[in-house]
């Protein structure tokens, strides 16, 4: 059974930085894409960033230029470096691991709060 675990959330002031980590374990089939999504209270879950095994990245419009996703294939781990954080970035951040066999696995999420 694949498990996806996020870490690194917390409280940060506007303009600050935070780094999230996501690790997938129990992987039998190869991971094709890993990504970050977020959901703020009362809003739908939205794309933050994704990265393929080959290193191609994709970002949501609201985070372009501020967030950066990277990965370590050997560790089945991805990172999300978040800079210039804004109060509207406050949300639960979820990690998703998408396998070559089509299966998708979500983590339970980590809360990021941007507030002074």
């Amino acid at each position: 059974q694949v498990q996806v675990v996020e870490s690194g959330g917390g409280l940060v002031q506007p303009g600050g930085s935070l780094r999230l980590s996501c690790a997938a374990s129990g992987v039998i089939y190869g991971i094709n894409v890993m990504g970050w999504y977020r959901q703020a209270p009362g809003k739908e879950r939205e794309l933050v960033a994704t990265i393929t095994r080959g290193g191609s990245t994709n970002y949501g419009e609201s985070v372009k230029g501020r967030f950066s996703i990277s990965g370590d294939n050997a560790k089945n781990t991805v990172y999300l470096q978040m800079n210039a954080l804004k109060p509207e970035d406050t949300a639960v951040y979820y990690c998703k691991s998408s396998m070559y066999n089509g299966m998708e696995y979500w983590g339970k999420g980590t809360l990021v709060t941007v507030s002074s």
Side-chain angles (χ1 to χ4, degrees):
Q1 181 70 19
V2 176
Q3 290 189 320
V4 177
V5 180
E6 306 97 336
S7 61
L11 174 65
V12 62
Q13 293 186 342
S17 298
L18 208 58
R19 189 189 194 213
L20 305 183
S21 298
C22 169
S25 61
V27 175
I28 298 177
Y29 298 99
I31 295 175
N32 184 23
V33 182
M34 291 188 75
W36 290 95
Y37 297 77
R38 68 185 183 186
Q39 188 166 19
K43 295 187 177 181
E44 294 186 352
R45 191 171 297 189
E46 65 174 357
L47 167 72
V48 177
T50 61
I51 185 168
T52 69
R53 190 168 184 84
S56 297
T57 59
N58 183 45
Y59 293 92
E61 285 298 323
S62 61
V63 306
K64 283 183 179 178
R66 300 187 298 123
F67 291 11
S68 177
I69 189 170
S70 61
D72 184 334
N73 291 334
K75 296 181 179 180
N76 292 327
T77 298
V78 292
Y79 308 96
L80 184 68
Q81 179 66 42
M82 305 185 292
N83 299 325
L85 283 160
K86 306 174 182 180
E88 50 264 44
D89 293 318
T90 295
V92 177
Y93 284 70
Y94 297 91
C95 180
K96 184 175 76 170
S97 180
S98 302
M99 307 301 177
Y100 283 109
N101 67 354
M103 297 293 289
E104 296 181 340
Y105 300 91
W106 289 89
K108 294 182 179 181
T110 184
L111 177 62
V112 172
T113 303
V114 184
S115 175
S116 55

